[in-house]
Structures are given as structure tokens and as C-alpha cells.
Amino acid sequence: MLELSILGFLFEESLHGYEVKARIQGLSGHIRPVSDGALYPAISRLVKAGLVEQHTEPGSGAAPRRILSLTEAGRTELLARLRHPKEAEITDGQRFFTLLAFLHHLPDRAEQAAVLRRRQTFLNIPASFFYRDGEPIRAEDAPDLFRQGMLRIARATGAEEKKWLAEAIGSLEG
Amino acid sequence: MLELSILGFLFEESLHGYEVKARIQGLSGHIRPVSDGALYPAISRLVKAGLVEQHTEPGSGAAPRRILSLTEAGRTELLARLRHPKEAEITDGQRFFTLLAFLHHLPDRAEQAAVLRRRQTFLNIPASFFYRDGEPIRAEDAPDLFRQGMLRIARATGAEEKKWLAEAIGSLEG
DNA sequence: GCTAGCATGTAAACGGTTACATGATTAG
DNA sequence: CTAATCATGTAACCGTTTACATGCTAGC
């Protein structure tokens, strides 16, 4: 997921690691800090895989910057990951959001719509949260205040997301 | 997080691993499957730490069941984890939800409210998602359709959650 | 005879967190 | 002179995923 974010930001322009980190933070607010111990190894993996190239430039004071650029293989790889997300990237809201953040890089509107449709299909299966005897539980039937809250919040989120998905798919295909 | 779920379900009644798995699945719908490779090692850790006891019973056909029960230390530990969540459990919606699912086990309403207040405080800091020059971006200003969607959905979720938190805290304290 | 569900586990690999390590510049 | 920001990295640890491994019973 970190790798996708790095590829996504580098698709737009070349950046050094520290700046990539700042962009990722800006994207997720303060929800989840990006640690150096995750970022730099992730960059190294991408370099080793031939998806990213580095060259050094003097830093603005401080240590010299390693400017990162996507290789042609890197561009292809990003587009492939956006086009064919793994199941967990459709299913898990957190990961789907990361996907959404870079989906505008896909050149084909039909392909963008196809990804949104997968999420739409997924959201229409469940109702989500708490099944008793295989049946989803209504918020009023939840056993306590806190599970009632979980249901209310989950429903509200799902509703807004479905609304947006329908609109977005419409505008991409219409 | 898996450990918290296991402790949470065992607080109510003794269960075997397979049943714990089923309960966790029921809680999160099909969003995130629980793998055996995560579940059984997690149980082993809890047993080794003295939080969970096992005894064997014949299974319903199939392999014999290992019935798991919370020890006194296990009960204390669960309550402590609910009372004093780590920062990430307040910050990360996924983890906070796991917390919520078992918060009714805390015997003191004031302590329950205190946990909700921490989440409330966190949600009031940001507006969330996308900062440009340190300022949060409005949905209409988002650079593309997909980031507009992210903002819309994030706002809707946040709004409903804040509404519920205010109500719930009111009813716990009033 | 085969598949699905019940029931338990191990081992390798992977990705992320936390802590450690270094060092320069700029603003208070 | 001291803290914050810029800038990069490594190493130990931890929990999860994925794949492997076993075996019984019930229903088609």
C-alpha cells in the first residue's frame, strides 16, 4: 500500500524521499503517520525491482537529496496495479481509498469506471457489520449502545459512498 | 487487534478457536477474513501470557475442540486495554471500531464516555484528508473526481460519527 | 466418491512499527 | 544554545498473510 502511494506520487513528478513522505502524510491527514523505517525500505524495494531510479542532488541545507523518478517499468506497474486491484484493495476501505487517490492516472475512463463498479458490487452485498444466524442485524436490534453506534456509522458511510459511486460511474460512462 | 477481539469474545463466554473465528467474521462482515495462521498463534500467545486457559472437549464430529476461557488475569487485561487504548486505536477507524465492539464490557459509564471523548477530540482536530500548504482542501477544490469522492465520503463519515459520539456521551453522562 | 464444513495447527515471507544512528541548517 | 526542520538510513521485533499439512463427518 505504501508502495502504491510512492508510485502514485512519482507518476506525477520526480521527488525525493522526504517529500514523498510529506505528500503521503498530507493525503491521510494525521490518521496514520508514515515511519522512515517503512518508507526507505519500500523505496529500496522499488529501486531494486527496477521501477524507480535515483540520482543525488544537493539538499536545501541538510543531507543531499536522493531524487526518485519512475522508470518506464514503474509507470507500467502503477497502471497495472490501478487497473487490476487485489481483492483486499476493493474490500478494505483504507486500501480502496489509497487506490482512489491515484485512479485519475488511469488514462481510460472505462477502466476507471470498472474499478468503481467492483467497489459498488462489493458494497451491495452485505449491509455490513454483525450477522446473527447469517442475517444482518438492524441498528435498533444491536445489543448495546456501542454496537448501535458502529451500525449507524457504517450505514451512513456506506450510503454516502454508494451515492457517490453511482454519480461518478454515471459521469464517467455517460 | 486480533488479540483484543479474542479477549473480548471470551469475556462473555468460553469458546473454542473455530467459534472465535466465526464470531470475529460476523463482526467485520466479509471485509477482512481472519486467517488460521493469525488466529491460532494469537491464541497461543494469550495462553503463554496466562490470559487464557484451555481444556479439550470432543468436537461435533471432526477434531476435538480446545475450549478457551479467560483467566482472572485475562479479564483484568481486557478491561485495561479498553480503558487505556493506545493512540493508534483512537486514531485509526478500523481499530477504534474493534474497541467499540467490546466497550460495553467496561463496568463504569464514565470510563466508557472517556474513551468516546478521546475519539471525539481526535475527530475535531482535522477535517481530514488532503492538506495543501497546511490548510484542509474543500471538496469542490479537489483536483479530480476521485479525490472529490474521497473528501465527500470522509466528511459524511466524520459527520455521522461526531453526531453519534455527542449523543452517546450525553446519554452515558446525563 | 466427492465436496463442504468442522477443527487444528506450522513455517516462510512480507510489511510495518519502534528504536537507534547521524548530521547539517535555520529560527527563536 | 537549543529546538525544529530537513534528510537519510539500519536493525530488531511483531503481527499478518499465504501456503502447507492433517483428518473426521455429513450430505449430495
Side-chain angles (χ1 to χ4, degrees):
Chain A
M1 212 70 309
L2 232 185
E3 289 185 13
L4 186 68
S5 298
I6 296 168
L7 294 173
F9 281 119
L10 292 182
F11 194 89
E12 300 161 37
E13 54 182 319
S14 294
L15 299 168
H16 54 101
Y18 195 77
E19 179 62 23
V20 169
K21 190 184 168 181
R23 304 269 174 124
I24 296 175
Q25 303 274 45
L27 198 61
S28 64
H30 48 316
I31 292 167
R32 188 167 278 269
V34 180
S35 62
D36 296 339
L39 180 70
Y40 290 104
I43 291 172
S44 300
R45 287 196 301 273
L46 295 173
V47 170
K48 205 182 296 177
L51 306 177
V52 167
E53 284 173 339
Q54 298 177 317
H55 68 102
T56 305
E57 274 181 23
S60 74
R65 293 168 171 170
R66 300 230 160 152
I67 308 292
L68 309 169
S69 325
L70 277 199
T71 62
E72 210 33 54
R75 297 181 161 271
T76 308
E77 176 68 18
L78 174 67
L79 295 176
R81 290 194 196 194
L82 293 173
R83 250 189 288 264
H84 308 295
K86 284 181 263 176
E87 190 58 18
E89 287 163 355
I90 296 298
T91 278
D92 178 14
Q94 200 101 63
R95 297 186 201 198
F96 181 69
F97 257 44
T98 306
L99 214 58
L100 266 193
F102 301 106
L103 206 56
H104 67 280
H105 290 320
L106 269 189
D108 186 345
R109 280 163 161 259
E111 286 180 335
Q112 294 173 333
V115 175
L116 299 191
R117 278 191 182 285
R118 279 185 65 190
R119 176 72 176 171
Q120 203 181 34
T121 301
F122 166 74
L123 288 179
N124 282 328
I125 299 172
S128 150
F129 285 118
F130 309 134
Y131 289 75
R132 197 145 47 191
D133 314 318
E135 289 295 304
I137 297 173
R138 285 169 301 164
E140 318 82 52
D141 297 343
D144 63 79
L145 178 65
F146 307 103
R147 296 203 179 188
Q148 278 165 34
M150 291 173 74
L151 281 169
R152 259 183 64 178
I153 296 162
R155 294 271 156 76
T157 311
E160 184 66 18
E161 192 174 343
K162 282 178 197 171
K163 235 174 80 188
W164 175 74
L165 282 169
E167 279 178 39
I169 291 168
S171 91
L172 286 172
E173 291 179 342
Chain B
M1 213 68 311
L2 232 185
E3 289 185 13
L4 186 68
S5 298
I6 297 169
L7 294 173
F9 281 118
L10 292 182
F11 194 88
E12 300 161 36
E13 56 182 315
S14 295
L15 300 168
H16 53 102
Y18 195 78
E19 179 62 24
V20 169
K21 190 183 167 180
R23 303 269 173 122
I24 297 175
Q25 303 273 45
L27 197 60
S28 64
H30 48 319
I31 291 168
R32 187 169 280 270
V34 180
S35 63
D36 295 340
L39 181 71
Y40 290 105
I43 292 172
S44 300
R45 286 195 302 273
L46 295 173
V47 170
K48 205 181 297 177
L51 306 177
V52 167
E53 284 173 339
Q54 298 177 316
H55 68 101
T56 305
E57 274 182 22
S60 74
R65 294 169 171 170
R66 300 227 161 156
I67 308 292
L68 309 169
S69 324
L70 277 198
T71 62
E72 209 34 54
R75 297 182 161 271
T76 308
E77 175 69 18
L78 174 66
L79 295 177
R81 290 194 195 193
L82 293 174
R83 250 189 288 264
H84 306 294
K86 283 181 264 176
E87 189 58 19
E89 287 163 356
I90 296 298
T91 280
D92 179 14
Q94 199 100 65
R95 298 186 200 196
F96 181 69
F97 257 44
T98 306
L99 214 58
L100 265 193
F102 301 105
L103 206 56
H104 67 279
H105 290 319
L106 269 189
D108 186 345
R109 281 164 160 258
E111 287 180 334
Q112 294 174 334
V115 175
L116 299 192
R117 278 191 182 284
R118 279 185 65 190
R119 177 73 175 169
Q120 202 182 34
T121 301
F122 166 74
L123 288 180
N124 281 328
I125 299 173
S128 152
F129 285 119
F130 308 134
Y131 288 76
R132 196 146 46 192
D133 313 319
E135 289 294 305
I137 297 173
R138 285 170 301 163
E140 319 82 52
D141 297 342
D144 63 80
L145 179 65
F146 307 103
R147 296 203 178 188
Q148 278 164 34
M150 292 172 74
L151 280 169
R152 258 182 65 176
I153 296 161
R155 295 270 156 78
T157 311
E160 185 67 17
E161 193 175 343
K162 282 177 197 172
K163 234 174 83 187
W164 176 76
L165 282 169
E167 279 178 39
I169 292 169
S171 92
L172 286 172
E173 291 180 340

